[in-house]
Amino acid sequence: MSLALSLARGAVTSPFKRAGRPGATLPAGRLRLPAAPAAPGRLAAYRTICGFPATGPLPVTYPHVLAFPLAMRLMTRRDFPLPVTGLVHTWIEITAHRTLRPEDSLELTVYAQELSLHRRGTEVTVVTEARLAGELVWESRSGYLSRHATRTEAPAPGKPSAPLPTVAEWRLPGNLGRRYAAASGDRNPIHLHPLTARLFGFPRAIAHGMWTVARCLAEIPDPATLRTVRADFRAPVLLPGTVTYATDGAAFELRGGEHGERLHLTGTTG
């Protein structure tokens, strides 16, 4: 099933699903894509829009892009308990067991691992694995939140951390979401146009969370050396807009607002 068909099916089935339903279970089994190398044209477009070098190893975030159609197929299944409409990507953890090359034929697997209560609703963890000749070479875990009323108590807010040293300021154009969608295949309407974003409660289109992560990682002097990444999506980035990228070497963040008071993204690498 194509990504467009998955999105269409999700739009049709979402009104019939209720997040937070007692006794909800996740689909059993795993979805797989047969081994294949990355398509050169789409990979080149992805490198350009995210700021990665034009040649060299596969960006550490790219297997997530390759497997995204599988994840959408999983989350739009009838037996998936959460409505995909309004589902928010809240965090991602990536482990690269080795440096990957564009010519590597990766077999991709996606499955749902667990449902958990969240102070704002229900969160599902989706696992993606990439194998090369049977060897697990890359894996990720992502959290997706379905918001609804809950009695789960929110933890007491901790003391805000001091901002990291600012390295760069990026002015993001209004068409960034459409350009990233063309490179990644993620055509969620909240990223494409102000009119479609307003249908989901956003005043303007918002940047893809995975673009913000990739753009930060592209600033690392040698991103091919990355073995672990953790990123948490704190607040949406409205388009067009301006953000500041900050890092102390191991941690990174994106901030917005006139004085950098709005925290959009935090992350660590290893």
Side-chain angles (χ1 to χ4, degrees):
M1 177 181 292
S2 71
L3 184 55
L5 287 176
S6 291
L7 288 170
R9 183 172 68 175
V12 170
T13 59
S14 286
F16 301 96
K17 297 182 179 183
R18 183 169 63 88
R21 177 172 52 85
T25 59
L26 291 169
R30 304 183 177 203
L31 300 181
R32 290 182 173 84
L33 280 177
R42 285 189 63 179
L43 175 57
Y46 180 83
R47 290 183 188 272
T48 298
I49 192 65
C50 296
F52 287 107
T55 59
L58 202 67
V60 70
T61 49
Y62 201 63
H64 176 91
V65 173
L66 294 174
F68 185 71
L70 275 186
M72 284 301 302
R73 193 187 309 172
L74 170 70
M75 292 187 287
T76 56
R77 284 173 49 162
R78 288 186 177 181
D79 55 351
F80 190 79
L82 305 179
V84 72
T85 301
L87 209 60
V88 179
H89 195 182
T90 49
W91 56 269
I92 186 170
E93 293 177 345
I94 295 173
T95 301
H97 299 288
R98 55 176 285 186
T99 299
L100 299 177
R101 309 293 302 183
E103 62 269 21
D104 289 337
S105 290
L106 299 177
E107 178 188 358
L108 301 167
T109 304
V110 170
Y111 59 95
Q113 187 176 65
E114 63 179 330
L115 283 173
S116 57
L117 293 177
H118 187 280
R119 69 184 185 278
R120 294 182 178 175
T122 301
E123 191 173 72
V124 62
T125 299
V126 176
V127 178
T128 300
E129 298 174 344
R131 286 177 169 79
L132 183 60
E135 175 191 356
L136 181 64
V137 293
W138 184 100
E139 56 188 313
S140 74
R141 297 172 71 249
S142 282
Y144 294 92
L145 174 66
S146 182
R147 297 180 179 180
H148 59 83
T150 176
R151 295 182 179 179
T152 302
E153 293 185 6
K159 184 178 180 181
S161 58
L164 298 174
T166 298
V167 174
E169 180 179 270
W170 300 330
R171 298 182 184 276
L172 311 182
N175 68 350
L176 175 63
R178 295 188 291 276
R179 292 172 59 200
Y180 182 81
S184 68
D186 183 353
R187 299 184 184 277
N188 188 319
I190 63 176
H191 305 300
L192 303 182
H193 193 276
L195 291 177
T196 54
R198 288 189 195 115
L199 296 175
F200 297 92
F202 298 99
R204 304 197 300 274
I206 65 173
H208 293 73
M210 285 305 298
W211 177 85
T212 64
V213 175
R215 184 66 187 88
C216 289
L217 298 180
E219 290 295 302
I220 294 174
D222 188 3
T225 63
L226 288 175
R227 289 297 175 261
T228 61
V229 176
R230 165 79 191 206
D232 292 272
F233 306 109
R234 305 291 188 179
V237 176
L238 297 175
L239 300 173
T242 301
V243 293
T244 56
Y245 164 69
T247 182
D248 64 1
F252 60 90
E253 63 187 22
L254 278 186
R255 289 183 176 269
E258 186 177 352
H259 303 290
E261 67 279 4
R262 187 166 177 81
L263 184 61
H264 295 293
L265 172 74
T266 61
T268 56
T269 60

